[in-house]
Amino acid sequence: MFGALRREKGKCNMQDFILTAEQKDLVAVAKDFAERELAPVVEDCDAKGEFPMDVYKKFVEQGFSTMFIPEAYGGIGAGALDLVLVNEQFAKVDAGFIVSATTAEFGVTPLRIAGTEEQIKYYFERVMDGQLGAFCLTEADAGSDASATRTTAVRDGDDYILNGSKCFISSGGIADMFTVFAVTDKEKGAHGISCFLVEKEREGVGVGKEENKMGLRLSNTTSLSFDDVRVPAKNLIGEEGQGFMIAMQSLDRSRGVNSYGCLGIAERAIDEATKYAMVRRTFGKPIIKNQGISFMLADMEIQTTAARTLLYHCADMIDKTGQYDTRLGSVTKTFVSDVAMKVTTDAVQILGGYGYSKEYPVEKLMRDAKIFQIFEGTNQIQRMVIGREMQRRYKV
Ligand code: COS
C-alpha cells in the first residue's frame, strides 16, 4: 500500500552515510579476512588461551599490521577512524586477537611523543618486518598508581642498566620491542621516571609465564623481567624524568580509540542475542515478541549506537585536529566499556541457560568485555581523570 515510501531493508545504518567509499572498502576487507581466517580458530584458541600466530602472520602479509605507520616510513598511513573501523571488524570476531595484534601501535606511542627520528625509523622498520612491540608500564605494585614504578635504570657510561619487572603486559611473550618505564631518580617521584626502548634480544630480558585469564584469551599477556639489562643511552626516549608524562600522554592517545575492542564485542552480542530471540519460541511465539525481551534488545541497541557514535567522534576529532584530548579519551573508554559489559550481560540473560553455556558465544563475549573496564586504567581511574579535567576547565 505504501509503495515507493516503503523503507528499504538495511538502509538505516549510519555507516552508509558517514563513511567514505575507501573506508567502506576497508571495512569489507577486514570483515572478510576476520571471518575467513580468524573465526575458525577462535574457539580452540580461547580454550587453550593461545594467540594464533599463524593468523597473525597472514594479518601481517595482508598489510594490516603496518596500517598505522605513516606513508613516509613505508606504511599505509591510515587515520584514527580508519584504524577503529578495521579493528572493530576484528573485534566482532575476537577482541583478544586484535588487542595483541595491534600492540605495536601502542608500544610506539612514547616514541611518537618524544622519540628521535632515528628511534622512530628503527622501530617502524622492525614492525615492517612483522615484529610486534609492547608498552610496559604496569608493575605488581604500580597499577593504578603508575608513579609508584620500581623498575630502575642506572646510568653507566654510555649505557643504562635496567632492573625490575613488569606485569600484565599485552603481547609480552610475542613482542620484540618494549617501551619500558623505569626510575632514574627516586627522589623526584613522578618526575624521576624515564622511558626506554628495550629490544627483547638484549641479555637479561626475561619473559614470565603467560597469564591464565578469564577472558580475552587470544591476547598474549605475560610478565617481563629485566635483570641487569644494558641498554645504550641512545635508547632513552625523550629526556630523563619525562617518562611519567610520556606514559600519561600515551594513555591519552590510546584510551579512547582503543575502545574498538569493546565496541566490536557489544555489536556481536546484539547480533547473537537478536538472532536467538527471533527463533527461540516460548508460549507459542518467538521470545522477541515479548516486550520484556524486545525492550532489553532496544536498550542494548540504544547504548551501543551511542557508544559507536562517541568512539567515531573521538577518532574523527584526532583525524581533524591532530590533538588527543585527555577528557574525551577517558570519557570514550569508560562509556564504551561500561556499555559492552552491560550489553554482554544482557545478551547472556536473553539466551538464558544457553547463554551460560559454552555452546553459544555470548558467555565468551561477557568474559571478554570485562577487561575493558580494567586495563589502560580502570574505569574508576578514568572517572578520576575526567573529574580532574573538569576542575581544570572550570577553574576560576
Ligand atoms: N598529560 C601530561 N602530563 C600529565 C598528564 C597528562 N595526561 N597527567 C598527569 N600529568 C603530569 C601532571 O601535570 C603532573 O605534573 P606536575 O607535577 O609538573 O604538575 C605529573 O604528571 C604527575 O601527575 P599527577 O599528580 O596527576 O599524578 P598521580 O600520581 O596523581 O596519577 C593518574 C595520576 C592516577 C591519572 C595516573 O597515575 C594514571 O593514569 N594511572 C593509571 C595508569 C594506567 O592507566 N595504567 C594502565 C597501564 S597500561 S595498560
Side-chain angles (χ1 to χ4, degrees), residues 327-347:
R327 183 197 57 87
L328 183 58
S330 288
V331 164
T332 306
K333 191 258 185 209
T334 309
F335 187 77
V336 185
S337 59
D338 283 351
V339 162
M341 199 63 237
K342 171 90 174 73
V343 164
T344 54
T345 307
D346 287 348

Side-chain angles (χ1 to χ4, degrees), residues 138 144 146-147 191 244-245 248 251-252 255 376-377 384 388:
T138 303
S144 291
S147 67
H191 294 273
F244 187 75
M245 204 192 62
M248 292 300 110
L251 290 161
D252 286 348
R255 279 173 178 153
E376 287 191 71
M384 200 170 130
R388 286 183 181 188

Side-chain angles (χ1 to χ4, degrees), residues 113-149:
I113 292 168
T116 62
E117 183 61 24
E118 189 192 350
Q119 289 172 332
I120 295 171
K121 202 161 166 271
Y122 172 67
Y123 186 101
F124 281 154
E125 276 167 7
R126 293 182 63 149
V127 176
M128 302 281 286
D129 279 347
Q131 294 190 3
L132 272 164
F135 180 84
C136 308
L137 176 65
T138 303
E139 298 184 3
D141 291 316
S144 291
D145 186 3
S147 67
T149 297

